[in-house]
Amino acid sequence: MIDAVFVGEEDSAFAGGSYVIVQKYLHDLDGWNALSTEMQERIIGRRKLSDIELDDSIKPTSAHSALTTIVEDGKEIKILRDNMPFGRAAHREFGTYFIGYSRSPSTTEQMLENMFIGRPPGNYDRLLDFSRAVTGSIFFVPSATLLETVTE
């Protein structure tokens, strides 16, 4: 996973750093919960209870897991990602904070393009019919070594 997260010698001045994307999504839980479990699984691309990825033969190309899988030269380009659900019940606001670390900003940019525009265009991530991004930023986090070289 280290190779997926930290910049390497391809950009030696920034080696050891990482690109971090942070997003806040709000969810239409009423709409999502109105779907059958099977439809939810097809939108996500995974089984709801076991979290096992659907076989490619039945997974739609518009599934979230299909569109956020990036392959270059026959090799999957990974990122380190996590999600934290949150809610403000009194405001009927429910969502997810997403954070992802990658070696290159192009990986997460491609994921976002696939999700919002589609691969091919128009074949967008159907999860976005129920979740909308309300914030999003990408940052470069330098290595401690790079920070030590910075002078006033």
Side-chain angles (χ1 to χ4, degrees), residues 77-137:
I77 307 300
K78 301 256 186 195
I79 69 169
L80 177 64
R81 63 182 90 199
D82 207 354
N83 295 286
M84 177 60 69
F86 72 90
R88 296 188 330 152
H91 294 91
R92 301 231 1 106
E93 181 180 90
F94 304 96
T96 302
Y97 283 104
F98 170 82
I99 188 165
Y101 300 85
S102 65
R103 176 182 201 125
S104 168
S106 65
T107 306
T108 50
E109 288 169 356
Q110 185 64 60
M111 289 177 176
L112 291 171
E113 184 175 325
N114 292 351
M115 288 172 62
F116 285 87
I117 296 171
R119 185 179 65 203
N123 189 48
Y124 70 94
D125 189 337
R126 297 310 188 261
L127 184 57
L128 297 175
D129 291 342
F130 303 93
S131 296
R132 65 184 172 90
V134 294
T135 65
S137 297

